Amino acid sequence: MYRSQKLALRYLTAAATLFGVMIVFGLLSSLYYLYPSMLFNVFNFNMSKTMHIDTLVIWLLMGLMGAIYWYLPKELETEVEGIWLAELMFWIFCAAVVVVALVFLFVQYGSSNQFSLWFINQGRKYVEAPRWAAIGITLVMLVFSYNVIATSIKAKRKMTGILWVLVIDLIPLVAVYLDAFPADTNLSTDLYWWWWLVHMWVESTWEVLIGCVMAWVLMDVMGTQRRIVEAWLYIEVMLVLGAGILGLGHHYFWIGTPRYWLSIGGFFSALEPLPLLGMVMHAVYDAGMHRLKTSNQPAYYWITTEAFLNFIGAGVWGFMMTLPQINMFSHGTQWTASHGHFAFYGAYVCGIIAVLYVAKQRVSGVEVLGGNRWKWGYGLLNLGMVGMVMGLLLAGMAQAFYGRAAGGSTLMAFTMASENPWFTSGMYARVGFGFVFAAGYVMLIYDLLTAPRALPRAEPQAQPEPA
Amino acid sequence: MNFQDPLFWRAGAVSTTLVMLVVLAFLTIDSYNYISVGGKNVPKYDVINQEIGYRYDWSRREDAPVIGGSQPLFGKAVTEAEATRIMEKGKLVIQSRNCLNCHTFFGNGAYYAPDLTKSWLDPAWSQIWMPMTGKATREDAMVEFLMHPDKYPTWTRAMPNMQLTEDEARATVAYLKWLSAINTNGFPAGFGQAKTQP
């Protein structure tokens, strides 16, 4: 095993651990809706929510980095260049995450001065981490980029298509993250650029990164031919960026931007499900070509689920509320939270779990990974997520109808919608299915940490060469 | 054209991305004419010296802010430079207290507490909080509420005390007044006009 793959295991372990922390704070956040006086003035909703979404971003980023450190030496058949620096950065990254978490738990907020932004909380959603930590993340990503680029240059093998996409994607990965720093007084310009971070970084740059990882996983667990995964990867990049760059406009409906964004954002974001539909077609095509035979059953199931739930969660759920006529009322309600949960889960979580199983197979040294135990985690996580998403959708629709459309969005309207039985029953469902999801996480970790049973070898069927 | 050749799709990916980025760059430059302070949709900070309303505009077929006559905040008109300093403070309060992880502005943030885009215009200030706090003006009631929100719960909910000083609370009120004057293409629709108010 390459040193880079050992580092990947560390990243994947850290990611899986933070996945658990994210779930704990997700459950806690959901309970505030049912018990509003819980931990009042001690640990308020805003800090619980901050912990929930920041651990989400960090565990997914670590998972993506782990996946790339895993596959990079395999792709180039050489050790990663500057691996010692990458190993050092891993520990710095972990230490920074722990320090930021402790500050969030025990200091929480400061006075209205620059010191607070540098050392306590930046107070910009998703980039609450103080500036020193954001600089740290930039450094980690720079070292990561150096690792990928230097290894690609040094390796004697020809650059592959997947690597080209990855290397070019590193430019926006670092450049767009710089958006974590400004704190413009004017909220309109502040949000204009903040959406570049949230939409372009998480929804576009990451989407391309996970596309590269998925291409490798498909070749790995199903033996799909490189030219097929690379053609699909290019098509996906073309459609993701072709629709997604101006699809950014669906965040520019109501922040003080000109009216033409309503048409541009509405049109291009309506196209955004297309690349995700392409992924579904790809998955069905591959599954058919291989007659569902694979050497790594859990990874195969998770990667296929990724394709379907990415399309439904990001694509269909996003489309449902992306046209301005609907977004006027759905925007900023639990409807958005429903889409957010489903999209992150479908787009990234399922894919990274597939990589966890790829790594498990290699570490445990079994030729075929299968059995029944992994199905508990798979079933409970999927059931829990779909249940939460439906609960949030119910609550969000109640808010959109009663709080926004009928109530006119005032404090009184917000309060009345929050006490509407459709809203409260949706929130109860969310908490209940949240616990199902947490049980799924426990089963996933239990399965990952337990030695697999040896199964008879069943090689994936060789794919016929196209004529 | 060979659709099975990955290079065909690579050319498509590169050209599509470049075209879209160029279009986005032009749109961004143009958008700045609207979203800069003093731009077509975002008023200057000293708009807090004036009366601000929000009414349905029949020509635009949506709600739009209406900037009226003189109505200085806290009864004292401020210069543009003073207003800018106050707004800088207000924005720092909003960031340092992590407001966006309960509330939303323009619908962006968390969804645990009300949207604050037009909060300055909320009828609750005069109908609920002025009598509750015993203050004579909307802005004084807002300052009192922001400094001691846990003393003034609404139904089952209360806002936690974020330890705002009086200066910080006044800057936050000023920021909310300026925010309500931004043209948001009609969001939120029909604010404060529903008959569900007490």
Side-chain angles (χ1 to χ4, degrees), chain A residues 407 410-413 416, chain B residues 122-129 155 192 194-198:
Chain A
T410 54
L411 167 87
M412 191 66 188
M416 284 175 64
Chain B
D122 201 309
W125 296 117
S126 58
Q127 291 171 356
I128 302 173
W129 274 300
W155 298 270
K195 293 207 171 97
T196 51
Q197 306 305 321

Side-chain angles (χ1 to χ4, degrees), chain A residues 41 44 50 112 122-123 125 128 184-186 190 192-193 195 253 256-257 259-261 331 406 408 410-411, chain B residues 28 30-32 35 41 62 89 91 95-96 98 101 106 108-109 122 150 160-161 168 175 185 191 194 197:
Chain A
N41 275 339
N44 294 311
T50 300
S112 51
Q122 286 202 71
K125 194 181 170 195
E128 291 85 355
D184 204 342
T185 299
N186 175 359
D190 184 314
Y192 189 92
W193 295 109
W195 276 117
F253 293 161
T257 26
R259 277 186 71 83
Y260 55 68
W261 280 112
H331 180 48
T410 54
L411 167 87
Chain B
T28 298
D30 186 64
S31 292
Y32 254 71
I35 60 175
N41 284 352
E62 66 192 22
K89 186 77 174 169
K91 179 73 179 337
Q95 284 193 239
S96 64
N98 206 6
N101 272 301
F106 306 139
N108 298 298
D122 201 309
D150 41 353
N161 192 332
E168 288 179 329
Y175 200 88
N185 293 329
F191 185 87
Q197 306 305 321

Side-chain angles (χ1 to χ4, degrees), chain A residues 186-199:
Chain A
N186 175 359
L187 198 62
S188 288
T189 47
D190 184 314
L191 285 175
Y192 189 92
W193 295 109
W194 177 80
W195 276 117
W196 282 51
L197 178 65
V198 178
H199 181 91

Side-chain angles (χ1 to χ4, degrees), chain A residues 412-434:
Chain A
M412 191 66 188
F414 179 86
T415 308
M416 284 175 64
S418 302
E419 295 183 347
N420 184 287
W422 290 104
F423 179 85
T424 47
S425 54
M427 291 325 246
Y428 271 106
R430 194 264 284 267
V431 172
F433 282 104

Side-chain angles (χ1 to χ4, degrees), chain A residues 45 223 461:
Chain A
F45 176 87
Q461 284 197 349

Side-chain angles (χ1 to χ4, degrees), chain A residues 322-333:
Chain A
T322 200
L323 295 177
Q325 295 83 350
I326 297 167
N327 194 264
M328 169 68 89
F329 304 103
S330 64
H331 180 48
T333 65

